[in-house]
């Protein structure tokens, strides 16, 4: 009695499944790594945006309107608790209003800028 088997043996199927499993795990690891990197970039941007908004709010609530430029225009090369971030505040007075611009540079050298205009009291 001869057997002409057509198909795959159980060992061949198991080897193919193991190889497919390794390939799927490799793709998943690559996608997870990219997702984590993208989330980190978005977190830095959100933090930079919040740092700029906080600075603008702090300046807008200062009652010494005529002294804003002398008091706040500066470059903060290091922010306590926010390693790698840099904040640049520019104040441009004009007739009856002042333009406030805050730029925050992230550790990846991306710039997030926020601008607002306030009127003289």
């Amino acid at each position: 009695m001869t057997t002409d088997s057509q198909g795959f043996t159980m060992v061949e199927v198991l080897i193919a499944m193991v190889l497919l499993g390794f390939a799927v795990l490799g793709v998943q690891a690559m996608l997870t790594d990219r997702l984590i990197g993208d989330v980190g970039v978005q977190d830095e941007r959100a933090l930079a945006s919040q740092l700029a908004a906080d600075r603008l709010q702090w300046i807008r609530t200062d009652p010494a309107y005529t002294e804003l430029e002398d008091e706040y225009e500066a470059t903060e090369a290091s922010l306590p608790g926010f390693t790698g971030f840099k904040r640049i505040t520019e104040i441009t007075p004009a007739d009856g209003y002042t333009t406030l611009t805050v730029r925050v540079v992230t550790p990846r050298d991306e710039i997030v800028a926020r601008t607002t205009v306030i009127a003289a009291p």
Side-chain angles (χ1 to χ4, degrees):
M1 180 170 162
T2 64
T3 57
D4 272 343
S5 66
Q6 306 238 345
F8 299 103
T9 66
M10 182 65 93
V11 173
E12 291 172 329
V13 170
L14 287 174
I15 290 172
M17 289 178 67
V18 167
L19 293 175
L20 180 63
F22 280 127
V24 169
L25 284 175
V27 169
Q28 187 228 359
M30 182 179 64
L31 291 175
T32 301
D33 186 48
R34 180 166 179 178
L35 176 66
I36 289 171
D38 290 347
V39 168
V41 168
Q42 292 302 322
D43 283 347
E44 282 183 359
R45 287 181 187 155
L47 182 56
S49 182
Q50 187 62 45
L51 287 169
D54 288 348
R55 182 67 165 181
L56 287 174
Q57 183 63 29
W58 184 264
I59 295 170
R60 286 194 327 233
T61 58
D62 191 330
Y65 180 82
T66 57
E67 300 169 10
L68 292 179
E69 193 172 3
D70 296 333
E71 181 72 25
Y72 294 106
E73 189 164 75
T75 297
E76 298 168 90
S78 65
L79 300 171
F82 303 102
T83 306
F85 286 86
K86 181 169 87 169
R87 184 166 50 193
I88 303 151
T89 305
E90 297 171 350
I91 300 174
T92 309
D95 293 329
Y97 65 91
T98 299
T99 302
L100 309 173
T101 301
V102 177
R103 290 181 180 81
V104 178
V105 181
T106 69
R108 298 175 201 250
D109 290 330
E110 291 187 51
I111 298 173
V112 175
R114 297 290 179 261
T115 300
T116 190
V117 177
I118 57 175

